[in-house]
Amino acid sequence: MATGSARGLRGDTWLGRWLVLPYVVVVLSFVVAPLVLLVVNAWGDTGIDGFADYFDQAATTRVLIVTIVAAAAVTVLSMLIGGFLGWLLRTTTSTSLRLLILCSLTLPFWLGSVLKMYSIQVLLEHNGLINRALMAMGLTSEPKEMLYTQGAVVVGMVYQMIPFAAIPSYTAFLAVDLDLVRASETLGASRLRAFTSVVMPLALPGLMAAAAIVYVISLGFFVTPLVLGGVTSPFAASLIWSSVFDYSDLQGAAIASVVLLLVGYLVLLLAYLGVGRRRLYAVLDQ
Amino acid sequence: MSVRTEIAYRARIAARTLRIGAGVSIALLMLLPVAIVVVLSFSADPYLVFPPAEWGLRQYEAFLGSDEWLSAVGVSVTVALLSTVLSTVIGTLAAYAIARTDLPLKSALTSLGVAPLVLPGVAYAMALYVLYLRLDVVGSFTGVVLAYTALTLPFPMLIVTGALTRLPADLEVVSMSLGASRIRAMVGITLRLLAPAIGASMVFGFIYSFDEATLINFLGSGQIITLPKAIFDSVLTGIDPLIMAIAVILMCLTGLVMTVGVRLRQLDQGNTP
C-alpha cells in the first residue's frame, strides 16, 4: 500500500520533465548551434581541401604543433607541481604549511585571469625582477629576453593551472588510506617506493582525470598567449585572434578552432574511456 | 642494527625537510606575483616601476575617481548577475528534471551543459562569434549575457545535481503523504534543502563570469567593456597603474565572496543525511 502510493506519486513525472525545457533551449542554441555553425564555416566552399591547405602551410601547422606540445608540457609541469602540493596537503600535520599552500593556490586565482598574467609579465620583463635578481647574483651580465617567448607562455599557463591540478590531486590522494603508506614503510619500503607502488596506483584514475581537464583547458588559453607571448606568438589563440581581426579570415580561424576542438575532444574521450565520466565531473566539481 | 635504524631515521628526517622546504618554496613563488601587485598598488608613481619610488594611495584615488573604470565594474557586475541568475534558475530546474524524472538522454544532456567549462576556451569563443556574426548580434548586451548564461550553466549542473542525488527522493513523497501538496513538497522540502547548493553555484558562476576575458573579446566587439576586457586592453596597449588598485580591491572582494561560496558548499555537503 505504502509503496504503491509512493510509486504513484513518483510516476507522476510528466510535468516534472518539462522543467528541463529552458535548459535544452539554451544548450541547443548556445552550445550545439555554435559548434555546428563553426564546422560549417570551417568547411565553407572548399570542404576538406580547406583543411588540407591548412595543414600544408608550414606557419599554421607550426602553430598547432606549438599549441599542442605546449599544452602537454603545461599538463606535465602543473601535474607534477600541483600533485606534489596536493600530496603535501594530504600528508602534512602542520597547520601553517597547510595554510601557506592553500593561500598559494587561492590568492593568485583571486587576482583575476588578466592581472595574474600581467604580474608574471612584471617578473619576466627585460628590466623585470628576475633579470635584476640574476644580474645582482652575477649569473648573467646582461638581461635575458624572457617575455614574449614560448617559455613565458608556458610559465603563465602553468601558474594558472597549478590549482586545477593540485585540488583534484588532493582529492585523489584523500581516497588513499595513509596507513597503507605506514604499513609499507614498516615492511621496509622507502617513502618513494611506498608512494610509487602503493599510493600512485590507487590515486591514478583521479590524477588522470585531472590531467585530461588541465590539458583541454590549456589548449584554449587566450589571455595568456596574448599577454605573455605577444600578438604574434605561435599559439592557436593568437592565430585565431589575428585571423579574425587582422586578416578577416573567418574560415582559417574556424578551421584552427575545429582542429583544437577535435584534439580536446579526443583527449576527453580517452579520459572518459579510461577513468569514466564520474571522475571527470569530480575534477570540475571543486 | 641501531646504527642502521639511526641512519634510516636521519634519512627520513632529511627527506622530510627537503619535502617541506620544496613545498614552502613553491608556495612562496606562487605568492610572489600577488605580492608584486599588492606592492605596486601602493605606488604613487605616474607609471609602474618596481619597487615604487614613491608610496601612497594615488592609484586607489584614481580608480575611485575614474568614470571609465567604474562603469566597466558596473557592466561586469550587471552581466555577471544577470547571467548567473538565469543560469542558476535554468540549471536548477534542469537538474531537478534530470535527477528526479525518467527523462531520456540524461547523460548526453548533462554532458552538453557541462561542455562550456571544458571546451578549449578560444575555440568556443570562436564558435559563438560565428553564430553571433550570422545573427548580427556581436556587441549586443543581451548576446553577452546569454553567452555567459551558457558558460555558467555547468555550475548548477554539477553542484545542484550532486546535491539532488544526495537528497533522498522519498522526502518529497513522505511530505506529500503527510498532506503537503506537490508544489509545497518541492519548494518547502527539496528547494529548501538545495538552497546551499544553489547559493554555492551562484557564487562560483558569478565569479567565473565576472572574471571572464576570452568570450568578451570576441562577442563584445569593443562595445561591451567589462572589467576584465578593460584590463586586458590596458595590459596590451600600455598599462594604467590604477589597475593594481583594482586588483587588490577585487582580490579582497573575491576572497570574501569565495569564502561564502565554500562555506555554502560545506553546508550543502553536510546536508547528507
mmCIF file of all heavy atoms in Angstrom, chain B residues 238-269:
data_model
loop_
_atom_site.group_PDB
_atom_site.id
_atom_site.type_symbol
_atom_site.label_atom_id
_atom_site.label_comp_id
_atom_site.label_asym_id
_atom_site.label_seq_id
_atom_site.Cartn_x
_atom_site.Cartn_y
_atom_site.Cartn_z
ATOM 1 N N GLY B 238 49.459 49.309 -22.967
ATOM 2 C CA GLY B 238 50.201 50.216 -22.087
ATOM 3 C C GLY B 238 49.408 50.345 -20.822
ATOM 4 O O GLY B 238 48.288 50.856 -20.832
ATOM 5 N N ILE B 239 49.999 49.855 -19.746
ATOM 6 C CA ILE B 239 49.204 49.643 -18.541
ATOM 7 C C ILE B 239 48.937 50.929 -17.786
ATOM 8 O O ILE B 239 49.784 51.800 -17.688
ATOM 9 C CB ILE B 239 49.913 48.612 -17.648
ATOM 10 C CG1 ILE B 239 49.031 48.188 -16.487
ATOM 11 C CG2 ILE B 239 51.233 49.144 -17.150
ATOM 12 C CD1 ILE B 239 48.730 46.737 -16.524
ATOM 13 N N ASP B 240 47.700 51.024 -17.300
ATOM 14 C CA ASP B 240 47.316 52.118 -16.433
ATOM 15 C C ASP B 240 47.567 51.660 -14.993
ATOM 16 O O ASP B 240 47.007 50.657 -14.566
ATOM 17 C CB ASP B 240 45.825 52.413 -16.660
ATOM 18 C CG ASP B 240 45.384 53.680 -15.973
ATOM 19 O OD1 ASP B 240 46.032 54.043 -14.971
ATOM 20 O OD2 ASP B 240 44.405 54.286 -16.417
ATOM 21 N N PRO B 241 48.415 52.379 -14.249
ATOM 22 C CA PRO B 241 48.808 51.876 -12.924
ATOM 23 C C PRO B 241 47.644 51.657 -11.963
ATOM 24 O O PRO B 241 47.747 50.845 -11.053
ATOM 25 C CB PRO B 241 49.730 52.974 -12.379
ATOM 26 C CG PRO B 241 50.037 53.868 -13.501
ATOM 27 C CD PRO B 241 49.078 53.624 -14.598
ATOM 28 N N LEU B 242 46.528 52.348 -12.194
ATOM 29 C CA LEU B 242 45.434 52.213 -11.230
ATOM 30 C C LEU B 242 44.849 50.800 -11.231
ATOM 31 O O LEU B 242 44.136 50.397 -10.315
ATOM 32 C CB LEU B 242 44.346 53.266 -11.480
ATOM 33 C CG LEU B 242 43.539 53.227 -12.771
ATOM 34 C CD1 LEU B 242 42.365 52.277 -12.652
ATOM 35 C CD2 LEU B 242 43.009 54.612 -13.048
ATOM 36 N N ILE B 243 45.181 50.020 -12.284
ATOM 37 C CA ILE B 243 44.727 48.641 -12.348
ATOM 38 C C ILE B 243 45.178 47.836 -11.127
ATOM 39 O O ILE B 243 44.480 46.957 -10.652
ATOM 40 C CB ILE B 243 45.275 47.989 -13.627
ATOM 41 C CG1 ILE B 243 44.514 48.544 -14.815
ATOM 42 C CG2 ILE B 243 45.126 46.493 -13.596
ATOM 43 C CD1 ILE B 243 45.001 47.983 -16.094
ATOM 44 N N MET B 244 46.355 48.195 -10.621
ATOM 45 C CA MET B 244 46.875 47.464 -9.464
ATOM 46 C C MET B 244 45.949 47.637 -8.260
ATOM 47 O O MET B 244 45.737 46.701 -7.505
ATOM 48 C CB MET B 244 48.275 47.980 -9.107
ATOM 49 C CG MET B 244 49.281 47.794 -10.207
ATOM 50 S SD MET B 244 49.511 46.058 -10.531
ATOM 51 C CE MET B 244 49.392 46.055 -12.283
ATOM 52 N N ALA B 245 45.421 48.839 -8.113
ATOM 53 C CA ALA B 245 44.485 49.080 -7.012
ATOM 54 C C ALA B 245 43.219 48.259 -7.225
ATOM 55 O O ALA B 245 42.694 47.644 -6.296
ATOM 56 C CB ALA B 245 44.149 50.567 -6.923
ATOM 57 N N ILE B 246 42.749 48.229 -8.492
ATOM 58 C CA ILE B 246 41.569 47.419 -8.790
ATOM 59 C C ILE B 246 41.832 45.971 -8.400
ATOM 60 O O ILE B 246 40.993 45.310 -7.801
ATOM 61 C CB ILE B 246 41.220 47.485 -10.290
ATOM 62 C CG1 ILE B 246 40.986 48.940 -10.708
ATOM 63 C CG2 ILE B 246 40.012 46.639 -10.598
ATOM 64 C CD1 ILE B 246 40.611 49.093 -12.160
ATOM 65 N N ALA B 247 43.028 45.489 -8.763
ATOM 66 C CA ALA B 247 43.354 44.093 -8.484
ATOM 67 C C ALA B 247 43.272 43.789 -6.999
ATOM 68 O O ALA B 247 42.720 42.762 -6.600
ATOM 69 C CB ALA B 247 44.745 43.772 -9.006
ATOM 70 N N VAL B 248 43.805 44.691 -6.190
ATOM 71 C CA VAL B 248 43.806 44.429 -4.750
ATOM 72 C C VAL B 248 42.389 44.457 -4.190
ATOM 73 O O VAL B 248 41.983 43.583 -3.421
ATOM 74 C CB VAL B 248 44.716 45.438 -4.027
ATOM 75 C CG1 VAL B 248 44.603 45.276 -2.520
ATOM 76 C CG2 VAL B 248 46.152 45.245 -4.471
ATOM 77 N N ILE B 249 41.607 45.465 -4.635
ATOM 78 C CA ILE B 249 40.223 45.531 -4.164
ATOM 79 C C ILE B 249 39.472 44.265 -4.576
ATOM 80 O O ILE B 249 38.784 43.626 -3.774
ATOM 81 C CB ILE B 249 39.519 46.783 -4.745
ATOM 82 C CG1 ILE B 249 40.193 48.048 -4.212
ATOM 83 C CG2 ILE B 249 38.039 46.778 -4.404
ATOM 84 C CD1 ILE B 249 39.694 49.325 -4.855
ATOM 85 N N LEU B 250 39.650 43.880 -5.850
ATOM 86 C CA LEU B 250 38.983 42.681 -6.357
ATOM 87 C C LEU B 250 39.394 41.445 -5.588
ATOM 88 O O LEU B 250 38.569 40.586 -5.279
ATOM 89 C CB LEU B 250 39.379 42.464 -7.818
ATOM 90 C CG LEU B 250 38.445 43.004 -8.857
ATOM 91 C CD1 LEU B 250 38.857 42.480 -10.218
ATOM 92 C CD2 LEU B 250 37.015 42.572 -8.540
ATOM 93 N N MET B 251 40.695 41.378 -5.284
ATOM 94 C CA MET B 251 41.206 40.201 -4.608
ATOM 95 C C MET B 251 40.515 40.047 -3.261
ATOM 96 O O MET B 251 40.094 38.950 -2.894
ATOM 97 C CB MET B 251 42.712 40.313 -4.429
ATOM 98 C CG MET B 251 43.384 39.028 -4.147
ATOM 99 S SD MET B 251 45.142 39.152 -4.436
ATOM 100 C CE MET B 251 45.615 40.238 -3.135
ATOM 101 N N CYS B 252 40.370 41.160 -2.549
ATOM 102 C CA CYS B 252 39.705 41.087 -1.249
ATOM 103 C C CYS B 252 38.241 40.700 -1.415
ATOM 104 O O CYS B 252 37.727 39.831 -0.707
ATOM 105 C CB CYS B 252 39.806 42.432 -0.526
ATOM 106 S SG CYS B 252 41.504 42.917 -0.225
ATOM 107 N N LEU B 253 37.562 41.328 -2.391
ATOM 108 C CA LEU B 253 36.140 41.035 -2.577
ATOM 109 C C LEU B 253 35.939 39.588 -3.024
ATOM 110 O O LEU B 253 35.086 38.881 -2.488
ATOM 111 C CB LEU B 253 35.530 41.991 -3.608
ATOM 112 C CG LEU B 253 35.374 43.436 -3.140
ATOM 113 C CD1 LEU B 253 34.768 44.292 -4.238
ATOM 114 C CD2 LEU B 253 34.516 43.507 -1.890
ATOM 115 N N THR B 254 36.753 39.154 -4.018
ATOM 116 C CA THR B 254 36.611 37.776 -4.489
ATOM 117 C C THR B 254 36.844 36.807 -3.337
ATOM 118 O O THR B 254 36.127 35.833 -3.179
ATOM 119 C CB THR B 254 37.610 37.468 -5.609
ATOM 120 O OG1 THR B 254 37.634 38.549 -6.513
ATOM 121 C CG2 THR B 254 37.245 36.203 -6.345
ATOM 122 N N GLY B 255 37.860 37.113 -2.535
ATOM 123 C CA GLY B 255 38.161 36.253 -1.401
ATOM 124 C C GLY B 255 36.963 36.134 -0.477
ATOM 125 O O GLY B 255 36.582 35.044 -0.060
ATOM 126 N N LEU B 256 36.347 37.265 -0.216
ATOM 127 C CA LEU B 256 35.185 37.299 0.672
ATOM 128 C C LEU B 256 34.041 36.464 0.108
ATOM 129 O O LEU B 256 33.475 35.587 0.774
ATOM 130 C CB LEU B 256 34.745 38.762 0.816
ATOM 131 C CG LEU B 256 34.227 39.173 2.178
ATOM 132 C CD1 LEU B 256 35.368 39.182 3.170
ATOM 133 C CD2 LEU B 256 33.589 40.555 2.091
ATOM 134 N N VAL B 257 33.712 36.753 -1.180
ATOM 135 C CA VAL B 257 32.602 36.061 -1.831
ATOM 136 C C VAL B 257 32.890 34.563 -1.918
ATOM 137 O O VAL B 257 32.036 33.717 -1.660
ATOM 138 C CB VAL B 257 32.365 36.650 -3.234
ATOM 139 C CG1 VAL B 257 31.288 35.879 -3.962
ATOM 140 C CG2 VAL B 257 31.983 38.109 -3.133
ATOM 141 N N MET B 258 34.145 34.263 -2.264
ATOM 142 C CA MET B 258 34.561 32.870 -2.412
ATOM 143 C C MET B 258 34.411 32.118 -1.095
ATOM 144 O O MET B 258 33.981 30.969 -1.076
ATOM 145 C CB MET B 258 36.027 32.873 -2.850
ATOM 146 C CG MET B 258 36.486 31.612 -3.462
ATOM 147 S SD MET B 258 35.815 31.452 -5.109
ATOM 148 C CE MET B 258 36.617 29.919 -5.536
ATOM 149 N N THR B 259 34.771 32.788 -0.001
ATOM 150 C CA THR B 259 34.648 32.149 1.308
ATOM 151 C C THR B 259 33.193 31.795 1.572
ATOM 152 O O THR B 259 32.878 30.703 2.067
ATOM 153 C CB THR B 259 35.164 33.101 2.405
ATOM 154 O OG1 THR B 259 36.394 33.650 1.952
ATOM 155 C CG2 THR B 259 35.387 32.374 3.700
ATOM 156 N N VAL B 260 32.294 32.720 1.205
ATOM 157 C CA VAL B 260 30.871 32.440 1.355
ATOM 158 C C VAL B 260 30.508 31.206 0.522
ATOM 159 O O VAL B 260 29.825 30.295 0.988
ATOM 160 C CB VAL B 260 30.023 33.654 0.909
ATOM 161 C CG1 VAL B 260 28.554 33.312 0.910
ATOM 162 C CG2 VAL B 260 30.300 34.841 1.811
ATOM 163 N N GLY B 261 31.014 31.169 -0.711
ATOM 164 C CA GLY B 261 30.711 30.045 -1.597
ATOM 165 C C GLY B 261 31.194 28.727 -1.034
ATOM 166 O O GLY B 261 30.473 27.735 -1.033
ATOM 167 N N VAL B 262 32.420 28.731 -0.530
ATOM 168 C CA VAL B 262 32.986 27.495 0.015
ATOM 169 C C VAL B 262 32.206 27.057 1.249
ATOM 170 O O VAL B 262 31.903 25.876 1.444
ATOM 171 C CB VAL B 262 34.476 27.694 0.347
ATOM 172 C CG1 VAL B 262 35.026 26.513 1.109
ATOM 173 C CG2 VAL B 262 35.266 27.901 -0.937
ATOM 174 N N ARG B 263 31.814 28.041 2.050
ATOM 175 C CA ARG B 263 31.034 27.756 3.263
ATOM 176 C C ARG B 263 29.688 27.120 2.877
ATOM 177 O O ARG B 263 29.261 26.133 3.481
ATOM 178 C CB ARG B 263 30.826 29.080 4.007
ATOM 179 C CG ARG B 263 30.239 28.990 5.356
ATOM 180 C CD ARG B 263 31.216 28.504 6.410
ATOM 181 N NE ARG B 263 30.485 27.946 7.550
ATOM 182 C CZ ARG B 263 30.204 26.661 7.702
ATOM 183 N NH1 ARG B 263 30.603 25.770 6.805
ATOM 184 N NH2 ARG B 263 29.515 26.219 8.739
ATOM 185 N N LEU B 264 29.051 27.698 1.845
ATOM 186 C CA LEU B 264 27.778 27.148 1.371
ATOM 187 C C LEU B 264 27.971 25.712 0.893
ATOM 188 O O LEU B 264 27.152 24.842 1.118
ATOM 189 C CB LEU B 264 27.226 27.997 0.226
ATOM 190 C CG LEU B 264 26.589 29.321 0.613
ATOM 191 C CD1 LEU B 264 26.321 30.154 -0.625
ATOM 192 C CD2 LEU B 264 25.288 29.068 1.357
ATOM 193 N N ARG B 265 29.092 25.511 0.208
ATOM 194 C CA ARG B 265 29.422 24.186 -0.312
ATOM 195 C C ARG B 265 29.532 23.180 0.825
ATOM 196 O O ARG B 265 29.029 22.069 0.749
ATOM 197 C CB ARG B 265 30.764 24.308 -1.044
ATOM 198 C CG ARG B 265 31.037 23.305 -2.133
ATOM 199 C CD ARG B 265 30.177 23.553 -3.318
ATOM 200 N NE ARG B 265 29.593 22.313 -3.785
ATOM 201 C CZ ARG B 265 30.231 21.440 -4.546
ATOM 202 N NH1 ARG B 265 31.425 21.675 -4.982
ATOM 203 N NH2 ARG B 265 29.644 20.322 -4.902
ATOM 204 N N GLN B 266 30.184 23.611 1.916
ATOM 205 C CA GLN B 266 30.336 22.712 3.058
ATOM 206 C C GLN B 266 28.980 22.420 3.689
ATOM 207 O O GLN B 266 28.667 21.280 4.017
ATOM 208 C CB GLN B 266 31.260 23.340 4.106
ATOM 209 C CG GLN B 266 32.710 23.320 3.670
ATOM 210 C CD GLN B 266 33.565 24.236 4.523
ATOM 211 O OE1 GLN B 266 33.051 25.091 5.255
ATOM 212 N NE2 GLN B 266 34.871 24.069 4.434
ATOM 213 N N LEU B 267 28.159 23.483 3.797
ATOM 214 C CA LEU B 267 26.809 23.312 4.321
ATOM 215 C C LEU B 267 26.063 22.291 3.491
ATOM 216 O O LEU B 267 25.413 21.385 4.007
ATOM 217 C CB LEU B 267 26.058 24.643 4.218
ATOM 218 C CG LEU B 267 25.890 25.472 5.475
ATOM 219 C CD1 LEU B 267 25.115 26.726 5.126
ATOM 220 C CD2 LEU B 267 25.144 24.668 6.522
ATOM 221 N N ASP B 268 26.200 22.451 2.167
ATOM 222 C CA ASP B 268 25.500 21.570 1.236
ATOM 223 C C ASP B 268 25.950 20.135 1.433
ATOM 224 O O ASP B 268 25.159 19.218 1.529
ATOM 225 C CB ASP B 268 25.770 22.056 -0.196
ATOM 226 C CG ASP B 268 25.415 21.017 -1.238
ATOM 227 O OD1 ASP B 268 24.415 20.311 -1.018
ATOM 228 O OD2 ASP B 268 26.120 20.935 -2.242
ATOM 229 N N GLN B 269 27.279 19.956 1.511
ATOM 230 C CA GLN B 269 27.755 18.593 1.635
ATOM 231 C C GLN B 269 27.480 18.014 3.018
ATOM 232 O O GLN B 269 27.419 16.801 3.183
ATOM 233 C CB GLN B 269 29.246 18.521 1.274
ATOM 234 C CG GLN B 269 29.386 18.311 -0.217
ATOM 235 C CD GLN B 269 30.645 18.904 -0.801
ATOM 236 O OE1 GLN B 269 31.449 19.492 -0.098
ATOM 237 N NE2 GLN B 269 30.824 18.744 -2.085
#
